[in-house]
Amino acid sequence: MGNLAHPVIAITRPQPHRIGLSLLRLFILSLCLGLTACANQPAEYTCSLEAIRLNWAEPEALKQTVATLSAAELMGRKTQTEGAAKARDYLHSQFQQLGLTPWGETFEVPFEYATLFSQETGSNMVALVPARQPTNRWRIVVAHYDHLGMSGSKIYHGADDNASGVAALLALAAHWQAQLNAAPDSLPNINLMFVATDAEEPGLFGSTALVEQLKQRMPEAQFELMLNLDMIGHPSRPYAIYLEGSRNFYQFPQFRPMLNANNRLCIKLSHPKPVGRSIQSTDWLRASDHYPFHKAKIPWLYFGVPTHPQYHTPEDTPDTLDYVFLAAVTESAFEILRLNGDFLKN
């Protein structure tokens, strides 16, 4: 996830009647949380590891992918480095093993971008799963594979940011393929695009280039959803994944219960506000690869956890992740991907 922070400067004085309403809401909520069965509160609000019930995602397989991408040999996967090239080689082999289709002659899709001082080159990795029957309907899964590289002898491994998202992306592609073969009627008739983006950390350049390429190469496509997976393996307190973008979907209250009905993952809407001594607030709309899609008016949802002590440090290593949690997020992401198209109208 890119480092996009903004100072909190707006201070408003609450009105007395609003304070009264807030206290009333807190009182009602406290009563609800104190009961063993509150009628209007779904099971997701248990927010604990013990509540998770995995169905198909495999924590050990996800752990192996994270360990491979965040290994020392990949040197932090910084754009335009040997480590990034090794990450692409790994992704190419995984896409091939899964039987995915390249977007063109190869899975690698290069792009150019400008910085303040020079013209640079990056490479997204793009794979497709065509629909059972020809259709213009598309859904896109995105997870950036680049990270910060090295500083001197220190490696910024980027296990949560964002080997975790790439691991989920590969698991989603594998499970979709398996379901397509075993129970095709359980899936909507849509085309899927799986994209591991490059150059997210320096400024969302891979996703920006991808949006432009989609406009040029697929002008007739109907993009129903972009699902962004960025930092999804390191839960904090509460034990929950955060979902941004839900307010864009007017039927979200209807399909939200489907996202965790089986695995009981705690899903919170919008990231928490900074507390304590923190004076920084992350702009979650602009913080990751969903933002270029937002600007292009393509519907999006974003799974992520709040920043944590290991974020953008050499300590973001595979041993700090919770792989049961990562597996549960992967399963809930799959439920999003297979939603009936009527739910995704916004």
Side-chain angles (χ1 to χ4, degrees), residues 48-62:
S48 69
L49 171 61
E50 292 72 24
I52 300 296
R53 300 290 184 269
L54 296 178
N55 296 284
W56 58 265
E58 300 177 3
E60 283 302 316
L62 291 162

Side-chain angles (χ1 to χ4, degrees), residues 98-127:
L98 291 173
L100 306 182
T101 302
W103 194 36
E105 295 183 0
T106 177
F107 293 114
E108 188 170 341
V109 181
F111 60 90
E112 294 184 350
Y113 64 98
T115 66
L116 289 175
F117 305 105
S118 61
Q119 194 76 13
E120 309 289 350
T121 302
S123 291
N124 294 331
M125 298 295 291
V126 185

Side-chain angles (χ1 to χ4, degrees), residues 43-44 46-48 50-53 260-266:
E44 64 177 6
T46 53
C47 292
S48 69
E50 292 72 24
I52 300 296
R53 300 290 184 269
N260 56 1
N262 294 321
N263 62 24
R264 302 182 187 178
L265 174 67
C266 183

Side-chain angles (χ1 to χ4, degrees), residues 29-252:
L29 179 60
S30 65
L31 285 177
C32 180
L33 292 176
L35 298 174
T36 57
C38 186
N40 294 320
Q41 294 296 323
E44 64 177 6
Y45 284 95
T46 53
C47 292
S48 69
L49 171 61
E50 292 72 24
I52 300 296
R53 300 290 184 269
L54 296 178
N55 296 284
W56 58 265
E58 300 177 3
E60 283 302 316
L62 291 162
K63 183 177 182 179
Q64 182 58 53
T65 301
V66 170
T68 299
L69 287 170
S70 53
E73 305 91 84
L74 272 68
M75 300 173 287
R77 309 186 305 278
K78 187 174 182 177
T79 302
Q80 294 187 312
T81 65
E82 182 183 348
K86 289 181 178 180
R88 288 193 296 275
D89 289 342
Y90 173 73
L91 289 167
H92 186 277
S93 68
Q94 293 299 302
F95 286 169
Q96 276 193 324
Q97 289 179 27
L98 291 173
L100 306 182
T101 302
W103 194 36
E105 295 183 0
T106 177
F107 293 114
E108 188 170 341
V109 181
F111 60 90
E112 294 184 350
Y113 64 98
T115 66
L116 289 175
F117 305 105
S118 61
Q119 194 76 13
E120 309 289 350
T121 302
S123 291
N124 294 331
M125 298 295 291
V126 185
L128 313 178
V129 179
R132 301 187 305 275
Q133 302 294 331
T135 178
N136 284 332
R137 297 171 60 198
W138 287 84
R139 297 179 192 177
I140 307 171
V141 183
V142 172
H144 75 90
Y145 71 87
D146 68 304
H147 194 53
L148 302 178
M150 299 183 65
S151 177
S153 61
K154 293 183 178 180
I155 300 173
Y156 288 73
H157 297 274
D160 194 29
D161 187 15
N162 183 37
S164 65
V166 176
L169 179 146
L170 292 174
L172 287 168
H175 192 60
W176 189 275
Q177 289 280 68
Q179 290 296 104
L180 203 56
N181 292 327
D185 291 339
S186 67
L187 303 176
N189 188 55
I190 57 170
N191 303 290
L192 283 187
M193 177 179 287
F194 294 94
V195 187
T197 53
D198 194 6
E200 187 270 354
E201 294 289 356
L204 314 183
F205 294 113
S207 53
T208 298
L210 174 62
V211 168
E212 291 305 310
Q213 291 165 344
L214 291 171
K215 293 177 182 177
Q216 296 168 12
R217 297 172 60 171
M218 303 172 64
E220 303 301 321
Q222 176 189 347
F223 297 111
E224 296 182 341
L225 177 70
M226 177 272 202
L227 177 61
N228 184 24
L229 307 172
D230 190 358
M231 290 178 57
I232 56 173
H234 196 298
S236 56
R237 295 182 181 178
Y239 191 87
I241 191 68
Y242 290 84
L243 182 66
E244 298 285 345
S246 61
R247 64 177 65 115
N248 299 330
F249 299 90
Y250 69 86
Q251 290 203 58
F252 183 75

